[in-house]
Amino acid sequence: MNPEESKYVTEIIHPEDEAAFARVAKALGDGEVVGMPTETVYGLGANALNPHAVARIFVAKGRPLDNPLIVHVASKESILPLVAEITPIAKVLMDAFMPGPITLVMKKSALIPDVVSCGLDTVGIRFPIHPVARKLIEQSGVPVAAPSANLSGSPSPTKASHVYHDMHEKIPYIVDGGDCNVGLESTVVDVTKSWPQILRPGYVTMPMIENALQEKGFTKPVDYQDTKEDKGSAPRAPGMKYRHYAPHALVTIVNDADEADAFLRYNEALRTVFSENNDAVVGMFCGEEVKQNLEKDLPEDMKAKTIFYCYGDGRDNRAASHALFDGLRSLDEAHVTHILAAGFAKKGLGLAYMNRLQKAAGDTGKEEKVPALSIKRVLFLCTGNTCRSPLAVASFSAMARKNEPFSEKNNPQMPVRLDVSSAGISAAFGDPAASHSIQIAKDRYGIDLSMHRSRTVNDYIMEQSDLVLSVSDGHSDILRRQYPEYKAKIFSFAQYLAKNGISDVNGNIPDPYGKGLSEYMRTADALDEIFAKIYPFILEDLQIFGYIM
Ligand code: TXA
Ligand code: MG
């Protein structure tokens, strides 16, 4: 697909705007892909009965084709034609938990296209309780297939802005229904047998499910075999085998965040990160009291390199679950190198929370094989890291996102996260990008630089980067002298153009610092022209290719 052809101007619709809402509901029924709120996370919805529409979901997400989608409905009656059978336990769970944050896996009917079920003879059915989701499904007039609306591998979206971040230009509409209440995806339960089996933990827990069944006189059949669950290799939702929820930073779980003295554990973990990595910037996903204690206790230099995202009371697992994906995304935007995140006891909601957090941390546990995710890092370098290099990030990211997601060239199964960032040779720590850079990034590239904070390049950043491109020869000379061991990956734009035999473009980027908007525009023009030429060579050097080319 030509990237230009696949490009949408993504519109964010508010449900109160009834005319716009009706237009989106109709488009959904007619085969467009729409970002929609639910009480768990935002979904990427398409008409479940239209295989072409559903196929577009996989393209927009970069989702593996063997991972089935959940079908969303707006009433219990509309489930009937979609399934071949409603078992007695399915009936009880429908009555007890629908509408709500649960997905029931049932034998599918012939109405469900293969692209939805990915060849399985079952289909996951979900009846969300979110009023906007219900209204949208109802008005579209069709069942809606929807996975979470993130790029495959990224944290799930719990705000419309997260969906916009991952999906803009890939889908025509996002319906903004505010923050998702639960914040973790639905509990997926196989109800095809005589007793339910949880395939993905969520807000609705096994004790809640057993309770509902017992109330209706159901008891676990004595001869029921908890299929392999005890042996630790339960058949899982196919999607659980993939790398998930991964922010760019390294995630470490700080266990027992629900204990009164949790602060001590964070303190120790934080000091360990700093003692092992001079250049670490640490994001803390923790409770308020942990932040207050640490701010009293930490030396100034460490405090300056610690960024807090507080979810509320440290012991409140509900609040932590609600905030988890936003926390991971926000700390990523702040360019932290490490994240220390609250760990809870694995019971009740803690089971679902820890399931997601462990995946984010790349902690595979013992029974799951999660293919690693490869991260490729491109670094742009200027002097103060407020004007040119942030603009380069915006210009390049806008180009790259049309091809997202990426895979390794020599190993197409291996998903690649392309991390594009910037630094300065002598930058202050923590300055925002120049206002003109922010404006151009937004208007021209649809990229939000408002969270950008300047930083000086250091050994850690250099070591992590796969390719370092600077705005002038002077900059690359300094870098090569300062970091001779990384010489091979350091170029100025001019040098990179020359290395790849491109001679019809000027590689020097004019410095707009302190000048007006038009000067910044010229800088952006120069960057665009250069990237148009060197983009394929960058992918080649990183040994990656885009899913959508
Ligand atoms: O809360 C949610 O469930 C959200 C919102 C948007 O509804 N949706 C969601 O979808 O999380 P997704 O596609 O990101 O995750 C669905 C999970 C995957 O792990 C998938 O493998 C599993 O459910 N699944 C879907 N259909 C299945 C089936 N027939 N059998 C077993 N697992 C299934
Ligand atoms: Mg998902």
Side-chain angles (χ1 to χ4, degrees):
M1 203 187 315
N2 179 330
E4 289 310 316
E5 285 167 19
S6 65
K7 193 165 152 176
Y8 288 99
V9 177
T10 305
E11 239 184 288
I12 297 187
I13 302 294
H14 293 271
E16 309 80 59
D17 181 347
E18 284 187 18
F21 190 83
R23 189 155 48 84
V24 175
K26 177 163 189 321
L28 179 57
D30 289 347
E32 290 289 4
V33 176
V34 172
M36 60 186 244
T38 82
E39 69 276 21
T40 56
V41 300
Y42 273 76
L44 204 57
N47 180 345
L49 305 180
N50 176 342
H52 298 286
V54 174
R56 295 161 90 169
I57 294 178
F58 287 86
V59 174
K61 266 184 79 87
R63 182 176 175 112
L65 287 165
D66 61 350
N67 192 4
L69 303 180
I70 294 171
V71 175
H72 297 66
V73 296
S75 71
K76 287 184 199 165
E77 298 73 65
S78 49
I79 297 174
L80 292 174
L82 305 175
V83 299
E85 175 195 28
I86 295 181
T87 58
I89 59 161
K91 174 83 176 62
V92 175
L93 299 194
M94 279 167 64
D95 289 341
F97 301 109
M98 284 189 170
I102 194 167
T103 297
L104 299 181
V105 172
M106 306 194 236
K107 289 267 182 265
K108 79 179 193 75
S109 79
L111 265 188
I112 302 289
D114 278 344
V115 63
V116 170
S117 53
C118 296
L120 299 176
D121 63 353
T122 54
V123 61
I125 303 281
R126 172 149 142 68
F127 176 7
I129 198 165
H130 196 292
V132 176
R134 291 169 68 166
K135 192 167 155 198
L136 186 67
I137 299 165
E138 222 161 64
Q139 285 196 20
S140 75
V142 295
V144 174
S148 50
N150 50 290
L151 283 172
S152 215
S154 295
S156 296
T158 56
K159 295 170 185 280
S161 60
H162 298 162
V163 183
Y164 188 81
H165 180 275
D166 281 16
M167 292 295 153
H168 85 268
E169 295 188 346
K170 294 183 174 160
I171 60 173
Y173 304 110
I174 298 166
V175 179
D176 186 348
D179 277 19
C180 298
N181 189 7
V182 176
L184 302 178
E185 305 89 336
S186 64
T187 309
V188 178
V189 193
D190 181 342
V191 288
T192 57
K193 316 237 169 55
S194 57
W195 200 248
Q197 187 178 9
I198 292 188
L199 304 181
R200 176 177 73 182
Y203 182 78
V204 177
T205 61
M206 200 56 181
M208 288 159 76
I209 289 172
E210 289 186 336
N211 201 27
L213 286 164
Q214 272 150 18
E215 266 180 20
K216 295 287 168 199
F218 286 77
T219 45
K220 195 171 184 172
V222 271
D223 59 341
Y224 180 79
Q225 299 269 325
D226 239 348
T227 27
K228 298 177 233 147
E229 186 140 66
D230 299 331
K231 290 180 220 145
S233 58
R236 293 180 177 273
M240 300 305 276
K241 72 177 190 250
Y242 296 105
R243 172 79 191 234
H244 260 73
Y245 320 117
H248 293 201
L250 288 173
V251 178
T252 304
I253 301 173
V254 179
N255 280 317
D256 304 322
D258 42 356
E259 303 285 324
D261 60 350
F263 148 72
L264 297 173
R265 278 177 270 271
Y266 283 97
N267 199 358
E268 196 188 320
L270 189 56
R271 285 166 192 269
T272 305
V273 175
F274 284 128
S275 71
E276 287 170 3
N277 311 273
N278 262 335
D279 304 316
V281 178
V282 184
M284 304 287 284
F285 182 75
C286 61
E288 288 291 350
E289 72 286 0
V290 171
K291 175 181 175 194
Q292 281 161 20
N293 279 316
L294 278 175
E295 281 186 336
K296 273 185 245 146
D297 194 78
L298 282 180
E300 284 306 317
D301 60 328
M302 287 190 198
K303 212 154 73 182
K305 297 194 166 186
T306 306
I307 296 175
F308 289 92
Y309 181 110
C310 297
Y311 51 78
D313 181 322
R315 279 169 282 183
D316 186 347
N317 199 179
R318 181 85 215 261
S321 301
H322 171 82
L324 178 65
F325 292 138
D326 184 50
L328 295 178
R329 282 175 177 263
S330 301
L331 291 172
D332 241 4
E333 300 262 305
H335 285 297
V336 300
T337 56
H338 297 71
I339 293 176
L340 297 180
F344 285 83
K346 287 183 190 165
K347 53 176 198 262
L349 185 58
L351 215 52
Y353 172 87
M354 289 301 282
N355 168 278
R356 310 305 193 273
L357 185 55
Q358 286 185 323
K359 281 174 195 291
D363 172 355
T364 61
K366 40 186 180 329
E367 69 281 268
E368 283 172 47
K369 284 271 167 292
V370 182
L373 174 101
S374 154
I375 300 181
K376 301 283 183 177
R377 294 185 169 90
V378 179
L379 177 73
F380 297 116
L381 220 116
C382 65
T383 309
N385 192 214
T386 58
C387 309
R388 284 176 288 182
S389 56
L391 258 188
V393 168
S395 170
F396 182 74
S397 302
M399 199 165 285
R401 72 176 318 143
K402 291 174 196 153
N403 294 152
E404 275 173 339
F406 294 93
S407 294
E408 277 191 354
K409 209 171 156 189
N410 298 328
N411 180 12
Q413 297 298 316
M414 178 71 82
V416 173
R417 292 280 297 279
L418 185 55
D419 186 54
V420 186
S421 67
S422 62
I425 286 200
S426 56
F429 181 78
D431 281 350
S435 60
H436 292 319
S437 290
I438 294 179
Q439 188 183 339
I440 295 171
K442 178 162 170 279
D443 296 347
R444 188 186 290 202
Y445 305 118
I447 301 274
D448 181 8
L449 286 184
S450 62
M451 288 293 290
H452 172 82
R453 295 292 178 268
S454 64
R455 57 179 185 170
T456 296
V457 67
N458 56 41
D459 199 66
Y460 181 81
I461 299 174
M462 287 301 294
E463 185 212 315
Q464 292 268 306
S465 301
D466 296 290
L467 180 64
V468 180
L469 294 173
S470 73
V471 293
S472 83
D473 293 351
H475 290 83
S476 66
D477 288 348
I478 295 174
L479 281 175
R480 283 178 174 179
R481 245 180 287 128
Q482 203 171 339
Y483 302 102
E485 67 272 43
Y486 305 128
K487 231 179 187 160
K489 61 188 181 190
I490 303 171
F491 303 93
S492 67
F493 283 119
Q495 288 159 348
Y496 198 73
L497 285 161
K499 157 176 130 85
N500 290 301
I502 304 161
S503 54
D504 54 344
V505 184
N506 179 354
N508 286 315
I509 309 293
D511 186 1
Y513 181 77
K515 302 200 177 117
L517 182 62
S518 60
E519 204 60 36
Y520 279 79
M521 294 279 207
R522 257 194 289 284
T523 302
D525 292 343
L527 287 165
D528 288 350
E529 201 185 352
I530 291 170
F531 285 133
K533 296 280 184 184
I534 66 176
Y535 179 72
F537 294 100
I538 294 178
L539 297 198
E540 185 61 35
D541 277 348
L542 299 175
Q543 287 286 294
I544 64 174
F545 69 96
Y547 190 86
I548 306 163
M549 295 304 269

